[in-house]
Amino acid sequence: MFETCEKIWINAQLASFDPTHAPAYGLLPRHALGIKHGLIQCMAPMPMFEKEHSNLNSTEIVDTQGALITPGLIDCHTHLIHAGNRAQEFEQRLLGASYEQIAQQGGGILSTVYATRKACFEQLVELAIPRLKALMAEGVTTIEIKSGYGLDLDSELNMLRAARELAKRFPVRISTTLLGAHALPPEYKNRADAYIDWVCKALIPAAVAEKLSDAVDVFCEHIAFSPAQTERVLQAAQAYGLGIHVHAEQLSNQHASALAARYQAWSADHLEWLDEEGVHAMAESGTVATLLPAAFYFLRETKLPPIELLRRYQVPMAVATDFNPGTAPLASLRLAMSMACTLFRLTPEEALLGVTRHAAQALGLQDQNGQLREGFAADFIVWDIQHPAELAYQVGINPIKQRVFAGAISHA
Ligand code: NIG
Ligand code: FE
């Protein structure tokens, strides 16, 4: 097994997050991990590896000297591609305006739409690079990126093309999501149903024709789209075989999570107003609950997502940054993990599962990412820490020793 590996990391503590390994974090002490063709080829305890060691002289060996290895981190909900920023809106909110009021007055998402429509493809890519580098530098190897600030054909497709471009230029996996139903564009004022029609009949087919989106998302909310409108978009997504995410129960309970579950959504996201019926529906369909504590923090929300219910029904919880210019100007998945613990009271193990195995599931990548496991992608991080809980506990220190993407060592 090890003799055919291209490279082997030895004397490592593996936080595998493989559910078949019983201890917390799927911890495997003193292990060797070998890779080939961008995949994890074998993992074994050191004594077993040492028995074979004599005939491995041509393989490259990295002695981690007891370092901890986790899967590469996965940020499964971002709006990384956009132009402009909304610092003034942040200021307005601190002076008393609410997120809903600003949106109803034509600001909020729409102000980012105006800025994004003006930007060309190359500008969208350039603006995203520092955000991407910040995430990569702290151990992120897979990122989901949504459209939703274009809201017309060219601008939406351009956002998705820019997202795909990042994966060509940087060692990172990008999962793309078409969020055409994010807000009503000004051209469709008072004609939301006509806009939804266009999203289903023109926008989704165009994105599919260019293979630009892996999934579809809808903002189901009283300031955005109704459950009936959301359902039409989910039907179209399903007809094209795309994955489904829903921005659900962020500001009110629209029963959008139960709706998402009826369409076997990969994830329902935000969930502060989620009720037990919704939790039950998500458990039945295997829909991941993606928690976005940064949006909760920046909007100074007080209503907490129902973590205890999610635990009781064993709904997998993911944690993401929601990086966006309005509700979550945060390019740190590590800080989002810390917020998930301190604000939502996740345990460090739950927070880490939320950026590894469960985040992979939220992107439909559960068979290839998010765990250290033979046959899975060789995306992993070698950390200079003793215990995985440190990753959720400490903020502002970056203990990365090595970032490995598809088997290749890469520093952001
Ligand atoms: O995930 N909730 C809707 N969408 C984003 C915010 C978008 C914005 O304000 O620009 C979110 O919070
Ligand atoms: Fe979002």
Side-chain angles (χ1 to χ4, degrees), residues 48-353:
M48 200 156 146
F49 167 79
E50 275 152 1
K51 268 201 239 147
E52 294 189 26
H53 189 210
S54 53
N55 44 19
L56 285 177
N57 19 15
S58 62
T59 313
E60 202 179 328
I61 297 203
V62 182
D63 188 349
T64 70
Q65 300 177 315
L68 183 94
I69 301 185
T70 68
L73 308 186
I74 300 173
D75 192 352
C76 66
H77 180 143
T78 85
H79 306 253
L80 205 78
I81 303 280
H82 60 263
N85 77 65
R86 311 228 295 270
Q88 283 175 344
E89 196 182 289
F90 179 62
E91 207 158 31
Q92 276 174 359
R93 287 207 307 271
L94 290 170
L95 292 170
S98 74
Y99 181 67
E100 286 99 319
Q101 280 164 351
I102 293 169
Q104 273 148 1
Q105 287 157 12
I109 293 173
L110 286 186
S111 76
T112 302
V113 170
Y114 300 129
T116 302
R117 283 182 174 179
K118 279 195 217 128
C120 66
F121 167 81
E122 192 54 38
Q123 283 168 328
L124 290 178
V125 173
E126 289 297 324
L127 286 166
I129 288 175
R131 304 164 190 158
L132 174 71
K133 283 186 173 170
L135 290 171
M136 286 171 57
E138 54 172 33
V140 174
T141 52
T142 298
I143 304 179
E144 186 265 7
I145 301 180
K146 300 175 196 298
S147 69
Y149 292 120
L151 313 185
D152 64 29
L153 190 67
D154 287 347
S155 316
E156 281 292 303
L157 298 186
N158 242 350
M159 287 185 72
L160 295 173
R161 288 184 198 117
R164 289 269 195 246
E165 181 68 18
L166 293 174
K168 292 186 193 147
R169 297 195 198 173
F170 294 90
V172 67
R173 246 169 261 285
I174 303 284
S175 173
T176 57
T177 302
L178 181 67
L179 176 55
H182 194 198
L184 192 61
E187 312 82 79
Y188 278 89
K189 200 167 181 198
N190 302 319
R191 294 190 296 133
D193 285 316
Y195 180 67
I196 291 296
D197 240 20
W198 175 81
V199 168
C200 296
K201 294 186 184 144
L203 182 60
I204 294 177
V208 167
E210 247 188 88
K211 292 194 169 59
L212 285 175
S213 72
D214 302 316
V216 167
D217 194 345
V218 182
F219 185 17
C220 184
E221 192 51 74
H222 62 87
I223 55 164
F225 296 99
S226 70
Q229 291 162 343
T230 301
E231 181 157 15
R232 290 177 52 209
V233 179
L234 304 193
Q235 281 167 348
Q238 197 174 56
Y240 282 102
L242 298 170
I244 290 174
H245 305 287
V246 178
H247 278 72
E249 274 69 89
Q250 181 185 15
L251 307 168
S252 62
N253 187 359
Q254 303 281 325
H255 307 284
S257 307
L259 171 62
R262 283 210 295 285
Y263 285 83
Q264 274 76 50
W266 282 345
S267 72
D269 304 42
H270 285 287
L271 306 177
E272 280 79 349
W273 292 82
L274 176 64
D275 62 15
E276 185 160 359
E277 237 180 274
V279 175
H280 180 77
M282 290 173 72
E284 296 280 300
S285 63
T287 299
V288 174
T290 296
L291 303 171
L292 304 170
F296 175 94
Y297 163 85
F298 281 104
L299 293 181
R300 305 180 70 245
E301 298 287 359
T302 50
K303 175 116 172 104
L304 288 162
I307 303 300
E308 208 39 69
L309 279 175
L310 291 165
R311 280 189 188 121
R312 198 181 323 141
Y313 283 85
Q314 299 185 316
V315 175
M317 293 182 276
V319 174
T321 60
D322 195 13
F323 184 91
N324 76 70
T327 64
L330 175 77
S332 170
L333 189 58
R334 294 272 317 284
L335 182 52
M337 289 160 65
S338 158
M339 286 175 170
C341 295
T342 53
L343 300 175
F344 294 171
R345 304 196 65 180
L346 261 60
T347 63
E349 187 185 10
E350 286 171 329
L352 269 151
L353 273 165

